[in-house]
Amino acid sequence: MLSATLPSKAPVSAEAQQAAAARLGDVAIAAALVLLAAAILLPCYGDFPMATWDESRNANNAIEMAAAGHWLITTFGGVPDHWNTKPPLLIWLVAALLRAGVPPLLALRLPSFVAALAIVAVLFAYCRWCLGSRLAGVLAGLLFLASPLFFGPHIARTGDYDAPLSLFVLVLVIAFERYAHLVARPERRRWLVLAAAAAVLGILTKGVAALLVAPGLLVFAAVRGRVARMAGDPALWCSVLAAVAVCAGYYLGREALDPGYLRAVWDSELGGRYGTTLDAHAGGPLYYVRILLRLTEPAALLVPFLVWRLVPWRLITWRLITWRSWSPPPSARRIAGRDSLLICLLAGASLLLAISSAGTKAYWYAAPLVPLLSLAGGVALASLAGTSGQGSARPGFTVALLAACLGALTVVGQYHQFAGIVTAAGSLENGQLWYGQALEQFRREGVSSPLVIVDGGVANDAGFAGYTPVADFYRKYATLRGEQVEIASTGTPPAHGIRVLTCDPRLVHRYRFAAGFQPVFGDARCVTGPMGAN
């Protein structure tokens, strides 16, 4: 009798079951793409020693911030750093990870790793849930993962600014496209807030570089006839003013505490460095085009196809044949994801033009192009395959596309392994790269401190005398651990009984056979031992 009074459970409809299965499949695909990116980056993150330039500078900024607790001003050698004038978002993240006890090299590179994984997730999520194409999301993710440029040193593999910057630029472009495309005001404003947040985070990561896509976004708005609507939207102006206020608050606050910072920013980002070739980073106007083609970037190689897909050939053919002025049927005008394709190409062209016109050329400046071109390529290939949100009208062609992308990804994976071997073999001439590995090995073998690192420094064109950034970082990290490690110049010989470490190739052989030196450990790169009686 009791069971008869209980309400019966409503049966689940077949449509609801299919929708739940589709959502589960989407989550599984996204997770598989993210795990694939993690499998490329994480297992061998330590195979690449800390880079002498940029990455080691960021590492020193972060560890000094973590030790001193000055979170607004980045320092190097205890004084405000006006050589690296980038805003401190990346430095904040690395400093927080170091204070949390994360191993130093992983703490330095984890923000770049997470940014690369997040880009994969964003590409798939946007294609699947905004454009309604699962295949476009898969292809965009695979094209991105098959990038030897992005997944090489100085971008996703190292603790530099360009991977996080690329994530924020991608989100900015996607959110702006959604804002321009949608009609419903509440939903448009949510995307507008996301675009403003991405712009702020991008600026706090690498300054004005986050806004190099802005001219392309404005051209997109003009081409799609959205300028008047946007100009009359108070929410847009409020978002712009809020973003300007946040960024200006940082820059003005830093200038108040660190006079001369804004002048250094001007010289670094907008003035002298933009029009001047620094550190032999030279190249012509087609430098980045050659870089993309030389590295056989799959997404970049698709650019002619993307432009071809963007042109409404069926509309042009209709009007040429019929010679009519009225609009053709909707089927002749529809190109799946055309707005996404258009905004990615315009934003990418804006970025490419800006970095190509700069005096200093560096391959990692092109990093934000890779996610944009990957998204455009995934959308165009899925459209060519005749896909909808649930499948494909040409399953054989779809399978062939997937197989081709997976094959490219396999080749790139082998490239990574080869690049790692070449890097390790070719870096013996720069002893700075090996101090981290040497000190860690000493800890495992119970070698005690105090320890003096003797190094002559890295030759450079920046005017730094005795520049030892990698050794200096690991000295500071040892100090945080309570160890006694110091750095001495080659002109100051250590006292009797002091344990010496050098990985400077100019000194390794000299110390190994020097009178009064007792080597207890050494290999082709480094040597250590106590100084004996002379």
Side-chain angles (χ1 to χ4, degrees):
M1 294 295 295
L2 182 61
S3 61
T5 62
L6 294 176
S8 60
K9 187 177 181 180
V12 179
S13 65
E15 292 79 6
Q17 292 179 348
Q18 292 177 356
R23 286 193 297 271
L24 182 61
D26 292 333
V27 172
I29 293 173
L33 289 172
V34 171
L35 289 175
L36 189 54
I40 293 174
L41 290 172
L42 291 175
C44 53
Y45 81 91
D47 290 351
F48 291 90
M50 185 187 299
T52 307
W53 292 101
D54 293 357
E55 186 181 29
S56 63
R57 191 82 177 195
N58 297 338
N60 279 277
N61 292 155
I63 201 164
E64 291 188 16
M65 182 178 288
H70 300 308
W71 293 90
L72 188 61
I73 300 176
T74 54
T75 61
F76 186 86
V79 298
D81 192 353
H82 286 186
W83 188 81
N84 179 15
T85 60
K86 304 295 187 299
L89 180 57
L90 175 67
I91 308 303
W92 288 340
L93 296 174
V94 177
L97 292 169
L98 288 170
R99 294 193 68 166
V102 178
L105 202 57
L106 180 59
L108 179 60
R109 293 172 175 177
L110 193 57
S112 295
F113 296 165
V114 172
L117 271 58
I119 289 174
V120 177
V122 168
L123 289 172
F124 180 81
Y126 172 72
C127 292
R128 180 65 188 96
W129 287 288
C130 294
L131 304 183
S133 177
R134 183 182 296 117
L135 179 61
V138 172
L139 292 175
L142 290 176
L143 284 171
F144 173 69
L145 292 174
S147 168
L149 170 66
F150 200 94
F151 284 84
H154 215 301
I155 304 178
R157 284 195 179 276
T158 50
D160 292 290
Y161 298 96
D162 299 278
L165 173 69
S166 300
L167 170 63
F168 298 135
V169 168
L170 175 65
V171 174
L172 170 61
V173 171
I174 286 174
F176 189 87
E177 186 276 327
R178 289 287 91 189
Y179 168 72
H181 175 81
L182 296 171
V183 176
R185 183 167 296 177
E187 191 173 357
R188 285 174 53 212
R189 287 182 177 175
R190 286 195 291 270
W191 286 103
L192 181 59
V193 170
L194 180 60
V200 169
L201 292 174
I203 292 172
L204 291 180
T205 299
K206 204 177 179 182
V208 72
L211 301 180
L212 297 182
V213 297
L217 302 184
L218 295 178
V219 172
F220 171 80
V223 170
R224 302 304 293 155
R226 301 288 192 268
V227 174
R229 188 183 76 178
M230 291 180 180
D233 186 0
L236 174 63
W237 296 107
C238 290
S239 299
V240 171
L241 290 176
V244 170
V246 172
C247 297
Y250 164 73
Y251 280 101
L252 295 178
R254 171 77 182 263
E255 175 67 19
L257 297 174
D258 177 19
Y261 172 69
L262 289 182
R263 176 65 183 179
V265 170
W266 175 265
D267 292 338
S268 175
E269 298 188 21
L270 302 174
R273 289 193 187 184
Y274 184 84
T276 305
T277 301
L278 297 180
D279 300 329
H281 291 300
L286 297 179
Y287 171 83
Y288 293 102
V289 175
R290 291 196 300 270
I291 285 292
L292 293 173
L293 294 178
R294 188 182 70 190
L295 293 178
T296 61
E297 291 287 331
L301 296 176
L302 289 173
V303 168
F305 168 71
L306 301 181
V307 175
W308 176 80
R309 286 297 293 171
L310 191 61
V311 177
W313 297 110
R314 299 179 66 184
L315 173 59
I316 295 174
T317 303
W318 171 274
R319 294 200 172 178
L320 287 176
I321 294 177
T322 61
W323 203 253
R324 306 279 183 165
S325 60
W326 59 78
S327 299
S331 60
R333 297 196 307 268
R334 188 182 302 116
I335 298 178
R338 186 181 180 190
D339 279 357
S340 303
L341 188 57
L342 178 62
I343 197 170
C344 286
L345 290 179
L346 289 175
S350 173
L351 172 64
L352 182 62
L353 181 62
I355 60 178
S356 296
S357 60
T360 299
K361 303 289 194 304
Y363 68 86
W364 51 88
Y365 292 172
L369 284 170
V370 176
L372 296 176
L373 293 177
S374 299
L375 174 58
V379 169
L381 289 174
S383 176
L384 181 64
T387 62
S388 64
Q390 300 299 324
S392 171
R394 307 177 193 174
F397 185 74
T398 300
V399 171
L401 286 175
L402 287 173
C405 288
L406 288 173
L409 185 62
T410 302
V411 172
V412 170
Q414 296 300 321
Y415 165 85
H416 289 324
Q417 299 298 325
F418 176 77
I421 296 172
V422 171
T423 301
S427 59
L428 294 176
E429 297 180 357
N430 188 352
Q432 283 285 307
L433 300 177
W434 303 109
Y435 285 113
Q437 289 87 332
L439 290 172
E440 186 59 34
Q441 185 171 353
F442 296 162
R443 293 189 186 101
R444 290 195 301 265
E445 297 183 359
V447 177
S448 61
S449 60
L451 183 71
V452 174
I453 295 175
V454 181
D455 196 279
V458 180
N460 61 87
D461 298 327
F464 300 137
Y467 190 56
T468 57
V470 179
D472 200 35
F473 169 79
Y474 285 107
R475 177 191 65 81
K476 297 167 186 172
Y477 180 70
T479 301
L480 286 181
R481 294 170 54 96
E483 302 169 356
Q484 299 181 37
V485 177
E486 300 296 335
I487 297 179
S489 65
T490 55
T492 306
H496 170 66
I498 296 296
R499 185 180 296 275
V500 172
L501 165 66
T502 183
C503 297
D504 188 332
R506 297 163 295 188
L507 301 177
V508 169
H509 182 78
R510 186 192 307 173
Y511 266 95
R512 184 176 285 119
F513 298 101
F517 183 72
Q518 303 171 9
V520 297
F521 172 82
D523 56 18
R525 300 186 293 260
C526 305
V527 64
T528 186
M531 292 298 297
N534 292 326

